[in-house]
Amino acid sequence: MGSVRIKELKAGMVLADDVTDIKGRLLLPKGRPIGPDHIRIFKIWGVARVNVMGGPKECEPAGQPIDPARLEAIRRALENRFRLTDRNHPVVQEIFAQALQARASDLFPAVNAAGLPEPAPEADGVSQPREDFFQKFIEKEILLPEIPTIVMEMNEVIANPLSTADQMAQVVNKSPSLTAQLLRIVNSAFYGLPTRVDRVSLAVTLIGTRELSALALGISIMSLFKIIPSRLLNMQLFLQHSLACGIVCRLLAAHKAMRHTEQMFTAGLLHDIGRLVICIHFPEEILECMGHAALKGTSLFAAEMEKLGCHHGHIGKYLLHQWRLPLSLENNASCHHEPTEAPDPAAAALVHVADLLVNALGIGSSGERCVPPLDPRAWEDSGLSSECFETVVQQTAHQFKTLEFLLQTKAP
Ligand SMILES: [Fe+2]
Ligand SMILES: [Fe+2]
């Protein structure tokens, strides 16, 4: 018997063990020969490896050997990217190994330095910390982008325990673009449903009211922020980072057999939204933070704390609160860098781990150039096992491709 990576699996091999998805649902029983359709289904469900009959030699993959010099260059670049986190922690080591593998096999569109705006390094000691920044932020009474009415209407429907799937569908159907986006997601590998879903009421029935509204909420809000000056932030990279975090959060939640995994998708999607608000309303301050981070070799998060006395998590919480969005979203956005301080540390820890993994894989960027430090207590709180990372990375690659269209959409 041998363990074979999915990309090296050949039709005709025979399964030595049952193959299940991350929720334990049987995809193909042992003893069955594998056909081309099975390989496609395994990919959709993020199965990373399967055990097949035959000696290990027969099953040994004939994958493309990686040029040692290239691998070494990727490793060195990654080591630099991991410089702020404890490389001796076993979980960080596993994430590093997965990131190295993913980058060497070009699994994701990796961000290179040219993708990020180059910060002007500050002159050391010139600028003073602004510890009253958060107060000024609130007092400025900035005009926050208006949340789409349709999102508020959806929130009202889900807040009412007597609401029906048809009522939810009626609200969504008011926006043709939101309807089209949701149906596209529901019919994508994100769900891998066996039948085509052609109407919102059926989608609500299959996925659930809360889940569908969480999806709609996330994609509607991200659509509000499309124009950020490129000298501050590469918006396309920011959206890629957010989408990937949403996907990873949902996958990690599924690994823990959590209910309402779509709410974790939205939590991941919106976790860094506070940074967008800072970029829009306080461009000089964020530029100063970027320069400070470049000069000191720290994270942008740490530079925000040092220069502004608060960070993008605090601003995100304020924004989501003003919009009267669910408290869990506020808390996950607020605490994704300090998850043990969250009222629900386990949920915030998932966002924390997802953020770390996405930064390690280099899918987009929220303006950070390094992998944020892992909080070991948060890892304990997460209840995760690092064995899930290989599957999560593979499944993220597949789902990211199918959801990339969300990065180009307009507000509903
Ligand atoms: Fe963040
Ligand atoms: Fe992030």
Side-chain angles (χ1 to χ4, degrees):
M1 185 173 82
S3 168
V4 178
R5 285 181 183 278
I6 292 305
K7 64 180 180 184
E8 284 131 9
L9 205 58
K10 301 273 185 296
M13 287 178 169
V14 177
L15 283 181
D17 279 324
D18 291 346
V19 177
T20 57
D21 67 9
I22 54 173
K23 287 189 170 176
R25 192 176 54 167
L26 183 66
L27 297 177
L28 195 64
K30 68 179 178 183
R32 290 279 297 273
I34 298 165
D37 275 356
H38 298 133
I39 298 174
R40 186 178 59 80
I41 288 167
F42 295 163
K43 283 182 181 168
I44 286 175
W45 286 104
V47 177
R49 288 174 171 274
V50 297
N51 286 325
V52 297
M53 305 278 193
K57 284 227 167 85
E58 285 171 54
C59 308
E60 205 52 46
Q64 295 290 323
I66 300 168
D67 172 24
R70 179 167 173 261
L71 194 62
E72 190 48 35
I74 296 172
R75 182 192 302 280
R76 264 188 269 114
L78 258 188
E79 280 171 351
N80 185 40
R81 203 172 168 83
F82 272 71
R83 67 179 185 271
L84 300 179
T85 194
D86 177 11
R87 288 278 311 282
N88 292 320
H89 193 290
V91 172
V92 176
Q93 287 175 357
E94 178 60 24
I95 290 176
F96 186 94
Q98 291 300 328
L100 184 63
Q101 173 72 34
R103 284 162 182 259
S105 52
D106 292 324
L107 201 55
F108 298 101
V111 180
N112 56 39
L116 293 171
E118 204 47 56
E122 65 169 6
D124 198 13
V126 167
S127 56
Q128 296 300 315
R130 295 185 51 177
E131 285 169 11
D132 56 350
F133 175 82
F134 192 65
Q135 197 53 38
K136 286 194 174 148
F137 175 81
I138 294 171
E139 284 168 4
K140 193 176 176 187
E141 290 184 1
I142 57 172
L143 199 60
L144 295 172
E146 225 174 274
I147 194 162
T149 327
I150 199 164
V151 173
M152 304 308 284
E153 288 181 32
M154 278 190 291
N155 275 348
E156 279 171 27
V157 173
I158 56 172
N160 180 356
L162 300 176
S163 297
T164 63
D166 274 346
Q167 284 171 316
M168 179 69 183
Q170 275 173 19
V171 174
V172 173
N173 281 330
K174 287 182 185 174
S175 164
S177 64
L178 181 61
T179 301
Q181 287 172 34
L182 285 176
L183 289 180
R184 211 166 153 184
I185 294 173
V186 171
N187 284 305
S188 77
F190 195 63
Y191 284 102
L193 296 175
T195 49
R196 179 148 190 84
V197 178
D198 58 0
R199 56 191 190 281
V200 175
S201 57
L202 180 56
V204 177
T205 308
L206 290 172
I207 294 167
T209 312
R210 291 171 68 106
E211 284 68 27
L212 201 73
S213 80
L215 276 180
L217 177 72
I219 59 178
S220 302
I221 290 179
M222 288 312 288
S223 306
L224 295 177
F225 296 92
K226 292 281 175 176
I227 302 167
I228 302 277
S230 58
R231 73 187 173 109
L232 302 175
L233 204 63
N234 181 320
M235 195 57 197
Q236 191 63 16
L237 293 181
F238 186 91
L239 291 173
Q240 286 176 355
H241 172 80
S242 303
L243 179 61
C245 264
I247 291 171
V248 173
C249 273
R250 176 175 176 264
L251 291 171
L252 295 178
H255 264 274
K256 288 183 56 179
M258 274 173 73
R259 295 172 66 215
H260 309 314
T261 51
E262 272 59 36
Q263 285 161 44
M264 290 311 297
F265 172 74
T266 309
L269 200 61
L270 300 180
H271 75 288
D272 276 332
I273 200 162
R275 184 160 287 149
L276 293 183
V277 182
I278 302 179
C279 285
I280 292 170
H281 297 284
F282 295 89
E284 296 316 313
E285 282 80 353
I286 197 73
L287 274 176
E288 198 178 310
C289 291
M290 288 170 175
H292 186 72
L295 182 75
K296 302 287 181 192
T298 62
S299 65
L300 187 50
F301 162 77
E304 288 170 351
M305 276 307 288
E306 233 180 290
K307 302 305 282 184
L308 308 177
C310 68
H311 58 71
H312 59 282
H314 299 135
I315 304 291
K317 179 180 172 67
Y318 177 79
L319 174 74
L320 297 171
H321 184 77
Q322 295 298 104
W323 278 340
R324 298 176 198 282
L325 295 184
L327 193 59
S328 60
L329 276 183
E330 271 183 44
N331 291 330
N332 288 329
S334 171
C335 298
H336 67 276
H337 289 285
E338 301 138 330
T340 54
E341 292 178 13
D344 179 0
L350 286 197
V351 186
H352 177 72
V353 173
D355 187 39
L356 204 151
L357 186 60
V358 170
N359 273 295
L361 294 168
I363 316 172
S365 170
S366 63
E368 296 286 0
R369 289 160 190 268
C370 289
V371 175
L374 174 75
D375 182 334
R377 290 171 305 160
W379 174 254
E380 298 296 321
D381 289 339
S382 77
L384 291 164
S385 158
S386 59
E387 286 170 13
C388 73
F389 288 142
E390 185 175 7
T391 304
V392 166
V393 169
Q394 294 297 326
Q395 199 162 3
T396 299
H398 198 74
Q399 294 190 354
F400 187 79
K401 281 192 195 99
T402 66
L403 293 187
E404 253 184 321
F405 71 90
L406 286 174
L407 306 177
Q408 272 85 44
T409 51
K410 294 194 177 71

